[in-house]
Amino acid sequence: ALNAAVEAGRLVDVTPDSVAADSLGARRASAAALHAAQQDRVHSVTVPDEEIIRARRALWDHRRLAVEHGAATALAALTAPIGGHPGRTLPEQVGVPSGGYRPQSGERVAVVLCGANTDPSDLAHKPEHFA
C-alpha cells in the first residue's frame, strides 16, 4: 500500500497479495506514512515473495529462529539481489521498487524479528519420498 501510494503520489487502495499480507497487508497507507515516505533519503522498497520465503527459511536453517513472513521481509530487502540481478555490482546506496536495499557507508540498520504470527510447522523439512 505504501509503495503504491508513493508511486501514485497520493493515497490509493490496493488488494494485498503476498505471503506477508497477514501482517503487512494494509489496504491503504496512512497519510502520515505517505508523508514520511516522501521525504529526502527515504526509499520505499518491495521484495518478491520468493525473497521473503528465502530470508525466513535462512533464519530457521542457520539460526533456528521461527519468524513470521512480515518480519522476514526486512531481512529479505537487505539480502535480496538489487533489482533482481544476482551478482550485479552494487552502488553504495540503492533503493529500488522491486529488489533490495544496501545501506550507505556508516548507516546503521536494525531488523526487528517476531515469530508471534507464524506457524512453525511449515519450517520443518518434509522427508523425501523415494520411489
Side-chain angles (χ1 to χ4, degrees):
L2 180 61
N3 193 60
V6 168
E7 287 180 359
R10 62 182 175 76
L11 297 177
V12 295
D13 289 335
V14 298
T15 303
D17 182 24
S18 169
V19 296
D22 60 348
S23 58
L24 299 179
R27 187 176 58 84
R28 176 183 278 237
S30 70
L34 176 58
H35 176 74
Q38 291 173 325
Q39 303 309 302
D40 279 348
R41 301 185 317 159
V42 175
H43 303 278
S44 175
V45 178
T46 61
V47 290
D49 282 352
E50 297 78 27
E51 289 298 324
I52 297 169
I53 293 166
R54 181 202 48 78
R56 181 174 181 254
R57 168 60 60 190
L59 284 166
W60 176 251
D61 288 347
H62 301 291
R63 300 285 185 246
R64 285 301 189 243
L65 293 172
V67 303
E68 60 189 69
H69 288 101
T73 300
L75 181 61
L78 291 168
T79 59
I82 297 294
H85 302 289
R88 183 173 128 189
T89 302
L90 303 174
E92 250 238 7
Q93 173 76 36
V94 176
V96 295
S98 60
Y101 174 80
R102 298 299 178 266
Q104 290 181 341
S105 179
E107 180 179 4
R108 292 181 182 208
V109 176
V111 174
V112 178
L113 300 173
C114 177
N117 188 32
T118 195
D119 176 4
S121 68
D122 67 351
L123 290 168
H125 287 286
K126 309 268 190 283
E128 303 223 6
H129 299 282
F130 297 97

